[in-house]
């Protein structure tokens, strides 16, 4: 068996997992005064606000700003007039508990509105999760995995000639998966497989998706000797026209992330998490897989699924997770921000009495506690979709070897350097 190095061409994800910030005529920025964007408990977090036009300080305008605990109602609301100073320093607030202070700025100028935000960390490595770890968590998932194991993979591969290229072939894959519960029967899990045509055995990458629903295509990494399986999670084929997915996103799948959350056995993500394990089964069934080198990777919802898959399946040898979602979702019930999909924001627990119980079985925090393989993680402080408070709740729960690369300024997007660093990490981990 030939052993090959596994590499990750990280730029491939960009089109699906991140939204790069757009350039605007007025450059508005908010940064903490601390050089490392971090403050101690009880220390006031102040912010520097800059507004420039054509590279010069913007004059004769007024902006408003709000400061408060990340994701919570603001504690300060003020306006300030811009002069010829390029930087304005505003006083913030202090936190006596670990978390993040967020400053949001709005500028109305010449019939346009510009917005920016900046977040300061306060003792982030001390942030603890709010979500409960159910006593029967391991038993619940062991039983689910046992039920999945009874179902044959029954993989159906359909060659995609239009996507296949010199050196590799592309197949649309359908696999049998466990349904959300016995009430609904079994379901399907779909993906797009790119596999080298040259005889031999190869390492593999399982790419798990960010939120939403979309088609998937070929992956040129297969030309370089990598098996790549990109999966969808919704039980629908991943090779249909885009308009079909757009309709699903506005209709049947508009609120999938909270679907059936009243019952831990019927919650939408049960079949999703098990589907990711079924994808691992499928990769291991391939004759051209080397049987050893398998990494799971993703961002946002995909970052969550990377952690979940690695925690539930010891055949995963490493993981890459950018800004994981589904993390400490119950934060809102305890006076602080919660993770995407933010279903607990503004929720009266009495109206959804079982949601918090269900969350314990699916929250990424509880999977992070069970990670045993090395992982590489990256995010920024300005992410309103997957707030850093929730992601540190995950990272601080991991006991396995881990590496965190913070790019403070980023929100729910990445710099090219982050992809390059993750690629290097993968390469270093899987050398023989």
């Amino acid at each position: 068996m030939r052993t090959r190095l596994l590499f990750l061409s990280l730029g491939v994800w960009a089109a699906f997992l991140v939204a790069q910030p757009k350039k605007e005529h007025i450059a508005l920025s908010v940064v903490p005064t601390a050089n490392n964007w971090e403050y101690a408990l009880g220390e006031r977090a102040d912010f520097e606000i800059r507004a420039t036009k054509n590279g010069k300080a913007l004059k004769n305008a007024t902006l408003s700003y709000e400061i408060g605990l990340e994701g919570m109602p603001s504690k300060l609301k003020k306006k300030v007039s811009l002069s010829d100073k390029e930087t304005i320093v505003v006083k913030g607030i202090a936190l006596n508990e670990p978390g993040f202070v967020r400053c949001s700025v709005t500028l109305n100028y010449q019939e346009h509105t510009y917005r920016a935000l900046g977040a300061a960390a306060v003792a982030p490595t001390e942030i603890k999760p709010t979500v409960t770890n159910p006593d029967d968590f391991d038993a619940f998932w062991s039983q689910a995995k046992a039920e999945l194991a009874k179902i044959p993979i029954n993989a159906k591969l359909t060659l995609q000639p239009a996507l296949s290229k010199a050196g590799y072939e592309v197949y649309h894959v359908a696999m049998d998966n466990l349904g959300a519960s016995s009430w609904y029967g079994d379901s399907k899990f779909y993906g797009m497989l790119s596999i080298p045509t040259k005889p031999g055995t190869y390492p593999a990458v399982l790419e798990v998706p960010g939120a939403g629903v979309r088609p998937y295509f070929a992956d040129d990494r297969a030309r370089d000797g990598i098996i790549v399986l990109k999966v969808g999670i919704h039980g629908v084929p991943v090779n249909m026209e885009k308009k079909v997915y757009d309709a699903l996103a506005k209709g049947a799948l508009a609120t999938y992330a909270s679907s059936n959350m009243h019952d831990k056995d019927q919650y939408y993500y049960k079949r999703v998490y098990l589907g990711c394990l079924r994808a691992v089964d499928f990769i291991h069934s391939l004759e051209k897989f080397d049987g050893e080198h398998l990494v799971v990777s993703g961002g946002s919802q995909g970052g969550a699924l990377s952690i979940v898959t690695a925690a539930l399946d010891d055949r995963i040898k490493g993981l890459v997770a950018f800004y994981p979602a589904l993390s400490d979702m119950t934060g809102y019930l305890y006076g602080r921000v919660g993770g995407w999909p933010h279903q607990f924001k503004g929720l009266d627990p009495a109206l959804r009495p079982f949601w918090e119980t269900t969350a314990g079985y699916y929250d990424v925090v509880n999977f992070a506690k069970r990670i045993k393989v090395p992982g590489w993680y990256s995010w920024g402080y300005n992410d309103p979709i997957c707030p850093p408070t929730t992601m540190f709740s995950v990272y601080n729960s991991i006991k396995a070897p881990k590496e965190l690369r913070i790019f403070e300024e980023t929100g729910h997007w990445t710099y090219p350097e982050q992809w390059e660093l993750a690629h290097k990490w993968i390469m270093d981990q899987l050398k023989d």
Side-chain angles (χ1 to χ4, degrees), residues 70 102 300-301 322-327 338-340 342 379-380 382-391 411-412:
E70 178 187 36
R102 179 181 291 172
S300 193
Q301 177 186 260
F322 283 87
Y323 33 75
L326 296 159
S327 298
W340 183 91
H342 305 286
W379 54 75
N382 293 336
D383 193 336
I385 297 174
C386 295
T389 298
T390 69
M391 295 186 288
H412 208 62

Side-chain angles (χ1 to χ4, degrees), residues 304-359:
L305 296 178
S306 291
I307 294 171
V308 169
T309 306
L312 289 177
D313 198 320
D314 59 11
R315 293 172 295 179
I316 298 294
K317 302 306 180 184
L319 72 106
V320 169
F322 283 87
Y323 33 75
L326 296 159
S327 298
D328 205 33
M329 295 180 284
T330 55
Y332 290 108
L333 303 181
Y334 296 88
R336 73 184 205 198
V337 73
W340 183 91
H342 305 286
Q343 68 269 58
F344 290 96
K345 185 176 183 178
L347 176 71
D348 180 355
L351 299 179
R352 299 287 188 272
F354 301 109
W355 277 27
E356 185 175 6
T357 298
T358 297

Side-chain angles (χ1 to χ4, degrees), residues 277-278 280-282 284 292 294 313-317:
L277 304 187
R278 179 44 37 111
V280 176
D281 291 337
F282 170 72
H284 270 265
E292 181 180 0
L294 175 57
D313 198 320
D314 59 11
R315 293 172 295 179
I316 298 294
K317 302 306 180 184

Side-chain angles (χ1 to χ4, degrees), residues 318-320 374-376 403 421-430:
L319 72 106
V320 169
W376 190 94
E403 180 177 343
L421 287 169
H423 165 69
K424 182 180 183 300
W425 183 88
I426 292 289
M427 289 288 290
D428 290 343
Q429 290 297 309
L430 297 177

Side-chain angles (χ1 to χ4, degrees), residues 142-183:
S142 292
Q143 176 63 30
K145 290 167 63 177
E147 293 173 1
L148 176 65
K150 297 176 183 178
I151 300 174
I153 301 174
N154 193 28
K156 305 295 184 183
L157 282 71
T158 304
L159 181 66
Q160 307 291 294
L163 297 178
S164 301
K165 300 179 182 179
Y168 69 92
E169 293 179 330
V170 180
Y171 294 87
H172 184 260
V173 183
M175 300 162 269
D176 284 351
N177 184 32
L178 190 70
S181 76
S182 58
W183 293 6

